[in-house]
């Protein structure tokens, strides 16, 4: 169902990630391009846990145009390679879509979770 323009505006105004994009909230920014921003998760599952976020407010993966989703994957791959170069041994990618799947922030984002042996984290799927 399409959201009304008023509701869309309210969603953007209330959105914590839109505030980060605008620079109204401080975060540790890892990478920024025209269309994306990547910053450290405030509650990291492992060291270097990063969120990759489109600057424009989309609620979930289904709303992101395919060309932008492809650019997002290129960004994620670049960041993942950087983490591996820095000593991570692997990584998990996770994207929660809709509340029932654990999405808390209603602005689409991908979690990049660097992994090391014995880091104590488990992503059971
Ligand atoms: P989720 O919507 O469940 O996929 O996850 C939202 C993620 O955003 C959580 O892992 C939070 O720790 C993270 N988060 C929420 N607010 C901030 C913030 N201001 N800066 C960095 N990370 C945040």
């Amino acid at each position: 169902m399409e959201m009304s323009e008023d509701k869309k505006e309210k969603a953007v105004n209330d959105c914590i990630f839109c505030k980060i994009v605008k620079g109204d909230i401080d975060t540790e920014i890892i990478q920024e391009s025209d269309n994306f921003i990547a910053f450290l998760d405030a509650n990291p599952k492992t060291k270097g846990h990063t969120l990759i976020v489109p600057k424009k407010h989309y609620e979930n993966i289904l709303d992101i145009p395919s060309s932008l989703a492809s650019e997002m994957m290129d960004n994620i791959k670049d960041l993942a390679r950087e983490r591996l170069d820095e000593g991570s041994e692997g990584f998990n990618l996770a994207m929660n879509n809709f509340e029932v799947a654990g999405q808390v922030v209603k602005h689409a984002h991908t979690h990049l979770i660097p992994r090391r042996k014995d880091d104590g984290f488990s992503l059971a799927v």
Side-chain angles (χ1 to χ4, degrees), residues 9-78:
E9 196 180 322
K10 183 166 168 22
V12 170
N13 287 339
D14 292 347
C15 173
I16 190 152
F17 287 177
C18 286
K19 289 180 181 151
I20 288 173
V21 168
K22 278 192 272 172
D24 293 347
I25 291 181
D26 269 350
T27 47
E28 193 158 339
I29 294 172
I30 301 293
Q31 192 189 72
E32 189 167 358
S33 62
D34 286 349
N35 295 323
F36 290 92
I37 190 164
F39 51 88
L40 291 182
D41 194 295
N43 302 290
K45 300 291 186 203
T46 65
K47 189 168 180 287
H49 179 173
T50 299
L51 300 175
I52 297 91
V53 178
K55 286 185 170 176
K56 188 168 172 193
H57 184 94
Y58 299 103
E59 192 162 325
N60 59 56
I61 187 66
L62 300 180
D63 299 327
I64 300 180
S66 295
S67 61
L68 202 64
S70 166
E71 191 181 324
M72 180 167 77
M73 194 46 76
D74 287 342
N75 269 277
I76 291 167
K77 285 162 72 176
D78 286 347

Side-chain angles (χ1 to χ4, degrees), residues 101-118:
Q103 184 176 11
V104 174
V105 177
K106 305 293 177 353
H107 181 137
H109 54 280
T110 304
H111 297 255
L112 167 63
I113 306 174
R115 302 300 308 275
R116 286 175 190 262
K117 239 176 249 141
D118 303 323

